[in-house]
Amino acid sequence: MQTNAAPAENSGATPAAPRRSRDWRPLLIYVVFIGLFLLFAITLHERGFLSENNLMNIARQSAMIAIMAVGMTFVLSAAEIDLSFGAVVALSAVTAALLLPYGVVPAVVGALAAGAVCGLVNGALVSRIAIPSFLVTLGTAGIITGITRWISGLQSIPVDNDVFAFIFGSGDIGPVPVLFLWMVAIVALGHVVLRKSAFGKAVLASGGNKLAATYAGINVGRVKMWVLLLNALLASLAGILYAGRLHSARYTLGENDLMMVLTAVIIGGTHLFGGKGSVVGALVGALIMGMVNNGLILMGLDIDQQLILRGVIIICAVTLTSGRLRRPRR
């Protein structure tokens, strides 16, 4: 007697969906950070890399870059770019220093107002006239720099107000620099806004798919206006902090920050073409840039060697995260 064969598989059954492998690339920035920290900690141990003073110096050096990186995270997430924020840094710093004889409040308000005007001009040209933000901010950067050079007379403006300097840059609360507290506060607020608020979701939607965002009822033009205004305001705050930390303001402030900020934001997980952003990742990217600068100085390298090695490290870091630079599908 023939035994019954094993039950045949149901040909109409739906095959099990393949398991999706988890994207590990967002975690790569933290691996890079830990790897570089361990490298410098081991090689520069005898030169005091792990000392409390040096670690606080890294925090101070990274603070302004991190604050500007928060604003740039919003701009890139909305699929825009701002090349004028470095010029806004200098204008705000010089404005604060010039107004400081009239009091701390007028100096801060005036500096932030100068940045707000720059952001509103950029935003209006981009959102209302539909000029590409790259071209708009490239042009306004030159205009802002010219204004700053004019009002400063190409001179360094001293900042001799102790209250202003303590609050905005050079003060310490116990062992913690005030700059570090500013950085933490801005990053925390930026993270909550981008991840939890309706505005943050509108920014990501506008950068991810403009047409879909418009059909969903999002005013994309208004979003672009707000992100450029926000970026300018945070650049103004960075300028105020530069003035307080350095006890002076000069038209050259911020001119070397463009590469640092963009690198921090991109390796931190923000898509260059919009739709995805990470404020916390931008913070880690800024700390990496500050740590690299600090480590190269402790190595005793001259400025030429520092520029070469810094460029190599930046290229390697961006290459490791290059999968996030591709334009998302629209």
Side-chain angles (χ1 to χ4, degrees):
M1 180 177 176
Q2 187 177 4
T3 58
N4 292 333
E9 293 185 359
N10 186 359
S11 58
T14 303
R19 295 179 61 184
R20 290 185 178 180
S21 59
R22 182 177 180 180
D23 186 4
W24 51 269
R25 286 174 300 182
L27 302 177
L28 190 56
I29 181 66
Y30 304 102
V31 176
V32 172
F33 175 79
I34 295 172
L36 286 173
F37 183 84
L38 292 177
L39 174 64
F40 287 131
I42 294 171
T43 58
L44 300 175
H45 177 72
E46 296 182 354
R47 301 191 182 186
F49 178 81
L50 292 177
S51 67
E52 180 180 330
N53 287 336
N54 189 63
L55 294 178
M56 290 298 101
N57 282 335
I58 293 175
R60 292 186 184 94
Q61 294 166 7
S62 305
M64 275 75 80
I65 299 298
I67 289 171
M68 288 184 280
V70 172
M72 188 57 69
T73 298
F74 279 84
V75 172
L76 289 181
S77 296
E80 298 297 335
I81 187 70
D82 187 351
L83 303 179
S84 67
F85 69 89
V88 174
V89 168
L91 175 63
S92 298
V94 168
T95 301
L98 291 174
L99 293 177
L100 198 54
Y102 302 97
V104 173
V105 174
V108 174
V109 172
L112 292 176
V117 170
C118 296
L120 287 172
V121 170
N122 287 338
L125 292 174
V126 171
S127 63
R128 303 299 183 187
I129 308 181
I131 304 175
S133 57
F134 177 87
L135 297 177
V136 168
T137 57
L138 185 63
T140 56
I143 296 172
I144 297 167
T145 298
I147 293 173
T148 307
R149 291 166 64 96
W150 174 46
I151 65 176
S152 67
L154 303 181
Q155 300 297 316
S156 178
I157 313 299
V159 173
D160 55 5
N161 187 301
D162 293 336
V163 174
F164 177 90
F166 180 89
I167 297 174
F168 297 102
S170 61
D172 294 312
I173 299 178
V176 181
V178 170
L179 280 174
F180 179 79
L181 299 179
W182 276 106
M183 178 179 70
V184 171
I186 296 299
V187 169
L189 182 59
H191 175 74
V192 171
V193 171
L194 186 62
R195 293 298 178 191
K196 304 297 183 181
S197 72
F199 173 70
K201 294 176 182 178
V203 169
L204 296 173
S206 299
N209 191 316
K210 179 180 177 180
L211 185 59
T214 302
Y215 283 144
I218 296 173
N219 189 328
V220 175
R222 185 179 299 170
V223 169
K224 295 180 185 297
M225 168 76 79
W226 277 107
V227 295
L228 288 168
L229 174 59
L230 174 63
N231 193 53
L233 285 173
L234 290 179
S236 292
L237 176 59
I240 295 170
L241 295 175
Y242 268 127
R245 182 190 177 200
L246 301 175
H247 294 273
S248 66
R250 189 172 174 80
Y251 68 92
T252 56
L253 287 176
E255 65 181 10
N256 296 321
D257 290 338
L258 177 62
M259 180 184 70
M260 301 278 284
V261 171
L262 286 175
T263 303
V265 173
I266 292 171
I267 68 176
T270 297
H271 275 296
L272 186 60
F273 300 108
K276 181 180 179 182
S278 173
V279 171
V280 175
L283 168 63
V284 178
L287 291 174
I288 287 176
M289 303 307 296
M291 184 168 56
V292 167
N293 290 338
N294 180 268
L296 295 180
I297 292 172
L298 289 180
M299 287 179 181
L301 303 179
D302 59 38
I303 186 63
D304 298 330
Q305 294 169 324
Q306 289 181 35
L307 288 173
I308 293 171
L309 284 180
R310 187 186 306 161
V312 170
I313 292 173
I314 289 172
I315 291 173
C316 291
V318 173
T319 300
L320 286 173
T321 58
S322 60
R324 287 174 286 177
L325 300 182
R326 291 173 291 187
R327 180 185 293 273
R329 293 181 180 179
R330 300 283 176 167

